[in-house]
Amino acid sequence: MCMAQTKATYLDPAQPLEKRVNNLISQLTLEEKVQQLIYNSPAIDRLKIPAYNWWNEALHGVGRSGAATVFPQAIGMSATFDDDLLYRVSTAISDEARAMYNASIAKGYHQQYAGLTFWTPNINIFRDPRWGRGQETYGEDPYLTSRMGVAFVKGLQGNDPRYLKVAACAKHFAVHSGPEKLRHERNAVASIKDLRETYLPAFKALVDAKVEAVMCAYNRTNTEPCCANTFLLQDVLRDEWKFKGHVVSDCWAITDFYEGHKVVANSAQASALAVKRGVNLNCGNEFPALVDAVKQNLITEKEIDSSLAILLRTRFKLGMFDPKGSTPYDKLSPDVINSANHRKLAREVAQKSIVLLKNNGVLPLRNDLSLYYVTGPNAASVDALMGNY
């Protein structure tokens, strides 16, 4: 007589989350565990785990994944001073993101920029107008940045008590605001007062709003690399703020440990240090060295298990190991992508983001012309008008 095969615990939605996570980890080899800590995680066919690429962007619309509604850049949306409007924007973005994901999974696609983990919003403080990435932020004010960032995260992640709509990420933690050329080796020095009053409030606000991920920055902050920073990742993020989500490195930031910051000698030491200090996901290609790091007694497999458990919770909360139809977002179809309603919303945001400056004769422009001619290399550039990712 044939006995019905018992469903694996990690595939059973009726089981508690922690039990499912631990059951899955218990069936992985060390090499498989390490591979799951990397942004382009491969499939494990014997356990029915599909490949998953964690890297996705949605700064002002789903980026790099085909047609999508393009909303004004973050700095423009912030100029509306309307966090409710930003919530509506991020809700529309997450609708499109889920619809794209649903369509991709239905066809068996698991490529980059098609997942549900979005490395946005950028809540760095835009203090220096020479910083080339300032347009990604919500400006120079910690309070406004906090309000806008919280609204954006809530719209992205949804309000279901069990499942995340998509996973948002607060970046770049912390004191990351240029100069870009030096970010892989720079030590950003900030007093505790400046940290607490300027650079950390928005991150705390997003952690309080239960943002699912935090991305650590390339630079050092007060001597230690941000992705191995005891004060930032342990003392503040985990111990003080009680952050429960996962930490992802900025892309190839772990390489900077020995190529830029010179705090360790090689990739095995860098990877072990990052995991021990609190990084769960490697955007880059350093973490495969964790296998050698275990052999060299730089880190234990138990420590890797603990880090992986934090990371896997996100995938379970997104419903990735549950039957189709389990989440309230599984029914979102491609009809919502770049829809008329979303384009109408984008126009509303654009109109409300416009800031007019009065010209009192400073600029050589007449104020009574019916038509103005805009020229220059970017005047009609679609890429420039859409903004970066």
Side-chain angles (χ1 to χ4, degrees):
M1 183 175 71
C2 294
M3 298 292 291
Q5 186 176 4
T6 303
K7 179 185 290 187
T9 300
Y10 69 91
L11 292 175
D12 185 358
Q15 297 294 329
L17 175 60
E18 294 304 317
K19 188 174 181 179
R20 298 178 72 187
V21 169
N22 292 333
N23 174 256
L24 177 53
I25 292 174
S26 70
Q27 301 181 60
L28 301 177
T29 66
L30 173 60
E31 289 76 10
E32 289 171 336
K33 293 171 184 176
V34 167
Q35 290 294 327
Q36 293 302 306
L37 291 171
I38 304 169
Y39 80 99
N40 52 348
S41 304
I44 304 176
D45 294 332
R46 64 183 178 83
L47 296 177
K48 300 180 181 179
I49 299 175
Y52 183 67
N53 196 302
W54 292 78
W55 191 343
N56 216 338
E57 307 283 1
L59 183 67
H60 57 120
V62 180
R64 301 174 174 169
S65 190
T69 306
V70 178
F71 293 91
Q73 259 292 8
I75 196 71
M77 291 193 289
S78 184
T80 68
F81 286 81
D82 189 340
D83 53 343
D84 179 66
L85 181 63
L86 209 63
Y87 175 79
R88 290 163 55 201
V89 167
S90 57
T91 298
I93 292 172
S94 57
D95 279 354
E96 296 193 11
R98 262 288 177 172
M100 290 177 178
Y101 175 78
N102 293 342
S104 295
I105 294 302
K107 294 183 178 181
Y109 296 160
H110 299 277
Q111 68 268 45
Q112 190 168 320
Y113 307 127
L116 292 174
T117 42
F118 289 87
W119 294 344
T120 193
N122 182 344
I123 52 171
N124 291 133
I125 299 302
F126 187 21
R127 270 187 165 178
D128 189 334
R130 295 171 299 179
W131 184 35
R133 295 182 64 176
Q135 78 278 3
E136 296 180 32
T137 75
Y138 298 124
E140 63 184 352
D141 183 72
Y143 178 72
L144 179 62
T145 298
S146 299
R147 291 288 299 269
M148 293 301 192
V150 166
F152 206 83
V153 166
K154 288 184 175 181
L156 286 181
Q157 296 192 166
N159 56 12
D160 186 81
R162 178 172 182 176
Y163 292 105
L164 292 168
K165 192 178 186 184
V166 308
C169 175
K171 69 182 188 186
H172 310 81
F173 194 55
V175 201
H176 175 83
S177 55
E180 285 292 292
K181 189 175 181 179
L182 301 177
R183 63 186 182 174
H184 299 288
E185 59 192 55
R186 177 173 179 257
N187 180 31
V189 178
S191 68
I192 294 299
K193 176 181 172 65
D194 207 13
L195 280 169
R196 294 292 188 179
E197 293 182 356
T198 306
Y199 293 107
L200 298 185
F203 284 97
K204 184 181 188 305
L206 267 62
V207 169
D208 289 345
K210 302 190 184 307
V211 68
E212 186 64 16
V214 169
M215 177 180 283
C216 48
Y218 289 116
N219 53 279
R220 279 172 287 153
T221 291
N222 296 341
T223 304
E224 285 192 314
C226 290
C227 290
N229 194 298
T230 302
F231 175 74
L232 290 175
L233 298 182
Q234 292 293 339
D235 298 347
V236 173
L237 188 63
R238 296 293 187 188
D239 296 342
E240 182 182 332
W241 295 349
K242 309 300 179 187
F243 177 63
K244 301 299 183 185
H246 70 265
V247 174
V248 54
S249 73
D250 207 339
C251 296
W252 282 265
I254 309 304
T255 305
D256 292 341
F257 286 13
Y258 56 92
E259 289 191 354
H261 303 306
K262 312 291 186 183
V263 296
V264 296
N266 53 50
S267 59
Q269 293 176 7
S271 298
L273 179 62
V275 173
K276 280 176 169 288
R277 295 289 173 84
V279 176
N280 310 106
L281 179 64
N282 175 209
C283 181
N285 56 4
E286 295 297 326
F287 274 16
L290 284 169
V291 175
D292 286 337
V294 171
K295 295 176 182 177
Q296 297 172 35
N297 295 319
L298 299 173
I299 193 170
T300 66
E301 187 169 354
K302 185 176 181 180
E303 288 175 304
I304 291 174
D305 289 351
S306 297
S307 185
L308 180 57
I310 293 171
L311 182 62
L312 285 177
R313 287 187 205 124
T314 300
R315 291 188 67 178
F316 278 96
K317 289 162 71 175
L318 287 164
M320 292 183 178
F321 296 101
D322 293 357
K324 182 180 179 181
S326 297
T327 86
Y329 313 115
D330 289 352
K331 294 180 181 179
L332 283 167
S333 72
D335 294 343
V336 303
I337 301 171
N338 200 23
S339 64
N341 284 339
H342 289 178
R343 292 176 71 88
K344 181 179 179 182
L345 177 60
R347 185 179 183 89
E348 177 186 350
V349 182
Q351 290 171 332
K352 291 182 177 179
S353 74
I354 294 171
V355 178
L356 299 179
L357 301 178
K358 188 174 182 180
N359 178 25
N360 287 322
V362 176
L363 298 177
L365 295 173
R366 287 174 54 185
N367 295 323
D368 59 348
L369 298 178
S370 60
L371 189 66
Y372 291 84
Y373 179 62
V374 179
T375 188
N378 292 322
S381 167
V382 173
D383 286 343
L385 292 170
M386 288 195 301
N388 70 333
Y389 72 86

